[in-house]
Every structure is written in C-alpha cells, then in structure tokens.
Amino acid sequence: QGISPDELKDELPERQPRYPSHIYQHDDGRVSYPLCFIFSSPVGCKPEQQMMYAGSKNKLVQTAELTKVFEIRNTEDLTEEWLREKLGFFH
C-alpha cells in the first residue's frame, strides 16, 4: 500500500515468481477495490518454482475471491501505464 507500480517492480526478484498485490489509486483519488493481484513469473525462473506458484495461483484467486488478476513474465513490464491499460478492461 502506498507504493507505485514502478516502485513495486523494483521490489520484485528478477528470477523468482511472486504474488504481489496492489491497491490502485486513480488520479482523482478513488481507490480500486478489490486489489489488483499480479502473478509475476519471470522468464528464467526455476521450473519447479514456476509450477509451484502457477499451481497454487488459482486456489488463491478463488479463496480470496479476486477479480482483477494479471500476469507478467518480465518485471520491467510492471508500470503505471501497463496497470492502467489492464484496469481499463473493467470500466
């Protein structure tokens, strides 16, 4: 919370999958709920890690009832523009 997509990108490991989430605040101050769930599975991850994260992703999404689920394969793709484009689908 309180971090931009660009700052979040800098926190993600380049060779390990992660499940970062992001509460998106629009320019007018509105906050998007539920939060944005981002599955990060960068190219170059160990296959075992990719399988473990991918296998548990669906269960996590169902259990938490997440609706804004996105995937990135390159941490550099996680930008404000990318997230706005993805969220545009929900308008």
Side-chain angles (χ1 to χ4, degrees), residues 3-45:
I3 187 172
S4 74
D6 290 317
E7 293 168 323
L8 178 59
K9 165 182 63 180
D10 293 338
E11 296 295 321
L12 294 175
E14 292 182 14
R15 299 231 186 273
Q16 294 179 328
R18 288 291 188 267
Y19 298 137
S21 57
H22 183 68
I23 297 174
Y24 186 77
Q25 186 166 353
H26 299 270
D27 292 335
D28 62 4
R30 292 177 298 120
V31 176
S32 283
Y33 289 102
L35 53 90
C36 301
F37 178 77
I38 303 163
F39 174 50
S40 170
S41 181
V43 175
C45 292

Side-chain angles (χ1 to χ4, degrees), residues 16 18 23 27-28 41 51 65 67 69-71 77:
Q16 294 179 328
R18 288 291 188 267
I23 297 174
D27 292 335
D28 62 4
S41 181
M51 289 173 52
E65 298 179 358
T67 57
V69 180
F70 311 117
E71 182 173 341
D77 292 342

